[in-house]
Amino acid sequence: VDLDKFEERFLVKWDQLSFLHVSWETQRDLEEFCDGAKVRLKTFFRKAEGGLLYEQDERLDGDYFDPSWVTVDRILEISEDEDVPEIVMDPKDPNFEEGTGRQFYIKWVNKGYDESTYEFE
């Protein structure tokens, strides 16, 4: 591992997923796997150049987003499907991929109802 080599990564909030699922991605990976990534990155760089983005130490709490956005406000719906498999925690179990458990429709603190997401048990 070359500690002097710098690899820039971008914190990505994925469409239709909650802030629990944000991830750090390289520009190369975004451009390779995400439709429209080049345009979105160009917009991002333009805003950063105009001073509209803040460094982590300029944010009051030091977080990249409001921590309340990963706090459940209320559960709006619970899947009642009897065909939903039981949750399986052991990755060696042959049913691991299907063992997702029930789904919950979650309204997050300080987010609108239009930003509610489904989360697995």
Side-chain angles (χ1 to χ4, degrees):
V1 175
D2 184 2
L3 297 178
D4 294 327
K5 186 177 178 181
F6 175 77
E7 181 178 50
E8 187 171 34
R9 291 183 177 259
F10 302 90
L11 185 63
V12 177
K13 194 285 185 189
W14 299 101
D15 191 31
Q16 303 296 314
L17 295 176
S18 71
F19 277 83
L20 290 173
H21 306 283
V22 298
S23 60
W24 290 97
E25 305 296 337
T26 64
Q27 182 171 348
R28 182 177 38 112
D29 287 344
L30 289 171
E31 290 175 351
E32 183 176 344
F33 298 110
C34 302
D35 294 336
K38 286 185 180 185
V39 172
R40 290 175 190 226
L41 286 167
K42 186 176 179 181
T43 301
F44 173 82
F45 290 126
R46 188 178 69 245
K47 287 182 177 180
E49 205 171 274
L52 299 175
L53 301 175
Y54 299 99
E55 297 294 326
Q56 183 178 11
D57 60 348
E58 293 177 301
R59 291 184 284 276
L60 296 177
D61 57 6
D63 291 322
Y64 290 99
F65 56 85
D66 185 338
S68 69
W69 296 348
V70 293
T71 304
V72 174
D73 185 1
R74 58 185 56 120
I75 297 172
L76 303 174
E77 180 183 330
I78 300 173
S79 63
E80 296 295 334
D81 188 356
E82 293 180 16
D83 294 331
V84 174
E86 292 294 318
I87 193 164
V88 177
M89 300 299 288
D90 181 5
K92 295 176 185 169
D93 189 300
N95 297 317
F96 180 71
E97 290 297 321
E98 291 80 35
T100 54
R102 299 176 294 173
Q103 277 192 316
F104 297 87
Y105 192 48
I106 305 293
K107 195 252 179 230
W108 303 99
V109 171
N110 294 330
K111 291 300 222 176
Y113 281 91
D114 62 329
E115 298 181 82
S116 298
T117 59
Y118 283 96
E119 298 294 334
F120 285 104
E121 185 168 24

